[in-house]
Amino acid sequence: MKARISTGAYQELSLSAALECVSRVSDSAEVLSEGRHSLLIPENVEVLQTFKLKYTVHGAVSGVNIASLDPGVRSSSVALHKREIALSAKVGASLYVVHPGYLGWSFQAFRTTKALERSLEELKAAEIEYGIRVALENLPKCPWPFFSSPGLDLKGLGIALDVGHANTCGLLNAFLTRPEVVHVHLHDNKGRRDDHLAIGQGNVDFGPVLEMISARKITAVLEHNSEMAVMESIKALRVFETMQKRFIQSVIPTAWRWPTNAGSSPLDTGCKCLRPSGIMVR
């Protein structure tokens, strides 16, 4: 699997320099629209159009709360996302990721959820208007964020499954079963903090995750805070793919292997009996 690389690993660089780094190891990037990489900076839109990369965009996070009980904050947050969705469509991005906001007071959970649902409806309208998929990202275990567990009414949006976030909540398997998952953020942790470690440095079981990505043919992004972690994760993914191939070769005699000209193999149609499910990269 050739994963996209988040520009979040290169936030200290200009967007042009960050994309140059990404292009050396991948043909796809996820632009973290924050700080120097914000799509709201006109020059950055021009920069994105000069590279021959496939894009997804992670919407702004700082100062944004689409679940706010303050009508002004909520509406301005949605408006900012709409501007970025329009710009994402302009540069040819296939998907836009948005955070669900956060809860200010536990006793206001019902009203805050209603505010969030209204925002999701508006973002769904933007998805239709600009022809770009919008996906809501699940957040890590914490007293204040929304959508750390499945069950939220997404109003027709997809899920950007953040594997590390789900692991901090002990709910990765629950999220993997959700049909709304259309995009995945890959990083590791040990279940306690949102560390964004390289794959293999925590306790996430990536076997089922990578199988799901392959089966659904959805986009996946290495989301790390440093280039070193990105490179370690690329190595780990290569190791995993090698392990998969060796497993398949060891359990399927040559005479049984699916002919390359015979269409889809049982391995591509939901048959798990021949898959190395549960393998953890270490």
Side-chain angles (χ1 to χ4, degrees):
M1 182 190 74
K2 197 167 186 178
R4 294 167 186 256
I5 311 298
S6 170
T7 65
Y10 307 96
Q11 279 290 299
E12 75 282 2
L13 302 178
S14 68
L15 181 57
S16 180
L19 294 176
E20 188 64 43
C21 291
V22 170
S23 66
R24 292 176 191 147
V25 293
S26 179
D27 63 357
S28 308
E30 177 154 295
V31 180
L32 176 57
S33 186
E34 285 276 339
R36 300 181 71 184
H37 298 177
S38 173
L39 265 66
L40 300 180
I41 300 173
E43 306 89 83
N44 282 343
V45 174
E46 295 174 8
V47 165
L48 288 167
Q49 294 172 323
T50 64
F51 281 82
K52 294 182 179 179
L53 291 167
K54 291 177 282 188
Y55 297 119
T56 54
V57 174
H58 191 309
V61 176
S62 301
V64 179
N65 185 9
I66 64 172
S68 177
L69 290 179
D70 184 315
V73 172
R74 191 200 68 79
S75 61
S76 63
S77 296
V78 172
L80 184 148
H81 281 307
K82 286 181 177 180
R83 288 173 63 196
E84 292 197 332
I85 289 170
L87 292 168
S88 298
K90 182 177 181 179
V91 301
S94 60
L95 181 139
Y96 181 86
V97 178
V98 60
H99 276 201
Y102 52 90
L103 176 67
W105 303 97
S106 58
F107 65 85
Q108 296 281 21
F110 178 80
R111 290 183 59 212
T112 310
T113 300
K114 290 301 179 183
L116 174 59
E117 289 177 351
R118 180 177 176 185
S119 295
L120 298 182
E121 289 173 347
E122 294 176 27
L123 292 174
K124 179 63 180 179
E127 175 186 83
I128 295 169
E129 178 180 357
Y130 294 105
I132 178 173
R133 197 75 163 98
V134 177
L136 193 70
E137 180 178 344
N138 60 298
L139 296 187
K141 185 177 182 179
C142 189
W144 44 263
F146 272 109
F147 199 38
S148 55
S149 62
L152 184 69
D153 183 353
L154 300 169
K155 301 300 181 182
L157 299 182
I159 293 175
L161 171 58
D162 189 296
V163 171
H165 291 176
N167 192 54
T168 66
C169 303
L171 292 170
L172 179 55
N173 289 336
F175 272 106
L176 288 174
T177 64
R178 293 296 296 264
E180 301 96 333
V181 174
V182 295
H183 186 65
V184 179
H185 287 165
L186 297 170
H187 54 94
D188 211 342
N189 60 57
K190 298 179 181 179
R192 296 185 297 272
R193 297 190 306 270
D194 182 27
D195 298 312
H196 285 254
L197 301 175
I199 292 173
Q201 295 182 3
N203 61 14
V204 173
D205 182 356
F206 282 93
V209 175
L210 299 180
E211 285 183 12
M212 185 270 290
I213 292 169
S214 177
R216 299 191 191 183
K217 295 180 172 58
I218 58 179
T219 47
V221 178
L222 293 177
E223 193 180 62
H224 297 300
N225 301 323
S226 70
E227 184 175 54
M228 181 180 296
V230 169
M231 296 306 174
E232 288 298 318
S233 284
I234 290 173
K235 291 178 185 177
L237 288 174
R238 288 173 180 163
V239 169
F240 183 88
E241 288 179 345
T242 299
M243 292 168 67
Q244 273 193 321
K245 290 176 183 176
R246 288 177 179 173
F247 177 87
I248 292 172
Q249 290 169 354
S250 69
V251 299
I252 309 178
T254 303
W256 292 2
R257 290 181 193 156
W258 202 256
T260 56
N261 62 350
S264 298
S265 158
L267 294 175
D268 299 322
T269 56
C271 177
K272 296 184 179 179
C273 56
L274 301 177
R275 292 179 177 177
S277 181
I279 291 177
M280 298 173 73
V281 179
R282 286 288 179 268

